[in-house]
Amino acid sequence: QDDCSEFRSQFEAGGRLSCTRENAPVRDASGRQHTNKCLMCAERFKKEAQRGGGTLQRNKLPASERTKQ
């Protein structure tokens, strides 16, 4: 199982995670390849935020702030 715990403290509201673009390919649990682990985790966090689940819920922006983005 892929572990993104090292990036959890770095994510921003809405599941955004600032990542570098170094080329260190990694595959997620479904077999999809990502440029690096950070980008893989960023995608995972974004999906979690869209579902409104997990630890991302505590950092979710109010609806009024989401419309400004």
Side-chain angles (χ1 to χ4, degrees):
Q1 183 178 10
D2 300 315
D3 184 16
C4 292
S5 61
E6 64 191 278
F7 298 104
R8 289 249 178 226
S9 64
Q10 299 172 31
F11 71 80
E12 300 171 10
R16 278 178 249 127
L17 180 63
S18 296
C19 297
T20 60
R21 296 287 182 171
E22 77 270 4
N23 189 16
V26 63
R27 292 191 184 274
D28 61 23
S30 69
R32 183 167 176 227
Q33 186 167 319
H34 301 270
T35 304
N36 59 49
K37 188 172 181 180
C38 182
L39 290 171
M40 177 189 71
C41 292
E43 186 172 315
R44 179 183 293 174
F45 296 159
K46 183 178 179 181
K47 287 178 183 176
E48 288 176 3
Q50 289 171 345
R51 289 190 308 257
T55 57
L56 296 177
Q57 188 68 23
R58 64 184 164 87
N59 288 337
K60 195 171 184 181
L61 289 172
S64 60
E65 291 296 315
R66 284 193 304 255
T67 58
K68 296 177 184 176
Q69 296 182 353

